Amino acid sequence: MSGGDPQLVQLLTPEGERVEHPDYHLQLSDQEYRDFYRDMELIRRVDFEATALQRQGELGIWASLLGQEAAQIGSGRALKPQDMAFPTYREHGVAWCRGIDPINILCTWRGNDQGAWDPKVHRCQLYTIVIGAQTLHATGYAMGIVKDGKVGGDDPAKNEATIVYFGDGATSQGDVNEAFIWSSVFAAPLVFFCQNNQYAISEPLERQTRVPLYQRANGFGFPGVRVDGNDVLATYAVTTAALDRARSGDGPSFIEAYTYRMGAHTTNDDPTKYRIASEVESWKLKDPVARMKSFLIRQQLADNDYFDSVRADADALAAKLRSEVLALTDPAPLSMFDHVFPNGSAELDAQRAGFARYLDSFADAPAGGSR
C-alpha cells in the first residue's frame, strides 16, 4: 500500500503519481480531472483573498481552509444534487461545490448577516459555529428522509443521503458521540466526514485520542475508513462509496480525512505558539493543489495554457470578491432578530425591545460627551 500507512486510502502519491487501491477504483474523464484542479485552485484563491480582507479590517474574522482543499472538493463533488450537507465553519470548498457564491460566505464573516444562502436551494445548511452541534442536526435530518421514503428505493437516482462535516477536536464533544449512537441504531443515511487537520485549535491530535479516529466508528457499530485528505481523487472515491451506502439504506459511515491545516485556526490564532516550522514544511510537500497539478502534467492532461487560464480565472474571482465586499453596507442593528424563528417568540421579542431601547438611549447623549 502506498503512503507509508497501511490503513490510508490513497490514489495519488504526494508526487502526483496515480496508484491503485483494491477497494476503491476510479476512472474519470480528462475534463473531470481538470475540474478537480480548477475547483481547488479557485477556492484557495478565495481563501487568500478573504484572509487579506480580514487583515485589512474588512472581515471580523476568517477561518482558513488552506491545506484542506482536496478533502472538501473531493467530498463535495461526490454529493448528488438531492443530497444535503451540514457544514461546520471551514467548509468553503464544500459550499463552492454546492453552488454558493463566495460573497455569501464572506457576508457571514463580516457580520452582515447570519447566513446568506437558502439551504433548500443549495442543499447545504448554514455554517455552524458551535463545535459538533451540526452532527445532531444532520442525524435528525437523515432519520427524517428515511421516514419520507427517500432512502433505499427502487430507483437509486432518486435516493438521498446526508453528509456532516466536523474536525478532529469535535470528536471529543458529547453531541458528536450522541449522533454516532442515534445514527447507528436507526441506520440513518449519514456520512460523518471528519477533517483531521491534526489540531483542535492548539491541541495536537495525540492529546485528543489514543486510537486513530476512524476506528471509533467500529465501537458504535458502523464502518470507518481513513483516507488521504490531501488526495482529491481518493477523497472523492471514498466519499462516493459511503454516500452510495447511505442512499441504499445501509446506514452511516465514518470518514477520517487525514490532512493538515497549513494556516492558523482562524485569523485570531498564532500557530507558531504551538507547532514547529519543520512540521509545517513537511506537510507543504503534500500540498493537495500541487499534487493534482503534478498529476495533470504527468498524465499530459493539461498544459501551460490551461494553468494560465485557471490562474486568470482565480485572479478575476478574487478581484470580484474584493469589490463586492467593499461595496457591502452595514445592516440595521435590529435586523439580527429577523429570520430567527418563523413565527417569532416572546423571549426574542423581549430581547429585540431591550436592544431597541439601548439604541434609542444614544439619541439623548450630549454631542461630543459621554453619558
Side-chain angles (χ1 to χ4, degrees), residues 255-276:
I255 297 172
E256 178 190 359
Y258 197 76
T259 181
Y260 192 76
R261 165 169 55 82
M262 290 201 285
H265 174 67
T266 69
T267 46
N268 287 348
D269 174 41
D270 179 4
T272 64
K273 301 292 185 183
Y274 55 82
R275 66 186 189 189
I276 57 177

Side-chain angles (χ1 to χ4, degrees), residues 266-327:
T266 69
T267 46
N268 287 348
D269 174 41
D270 179 4
T272 64
K273 301 292 185 183
Y274 55 82
R275 66 186 189 189
I276 57 177
S278 60
E279 178 184 290
V280 180
E281 292 303 314
S282 70
W283 276 93
K284 285 182 178 178
L285 299 176
K286 304 173 185 177
D287 186 308
V289 181
R291 183 183 306 198
M292 192 60 188
K293 182 176 183 178
S294 178
F295 167 73
L296 293 178
I297 294 172
R298 280 174 176 267
Q299 299 296 318
Q300 299 183 334
L301 299 177
D303 55 18
N304 287 336
D305 288 343
Y306 169 77
F307 293 118
D308 288 344
S309 70
V310 173
R311 192 176 303 110
D313 288 346
D315 289 343
L317 176 61
K320 172 177 175 291
L321 189 58
R322 170 170 287 271
S323 175
E324 291 173 338
V325 168
L326 297 180

Side-chain angles (χ1 to χ4, degrees), residues 97-118:
C97 290
R98 302 307 276 172
I100 295 169
D101 191 322
I103 185 60
N104 294 336
I105 302 172
L106 268 63
C107 279
T108 301
W109 293 101
R110 186 182 168 98
N112 277 64
D113 56 52
Q114 300 171 71
W117 62 85
D118 187 339

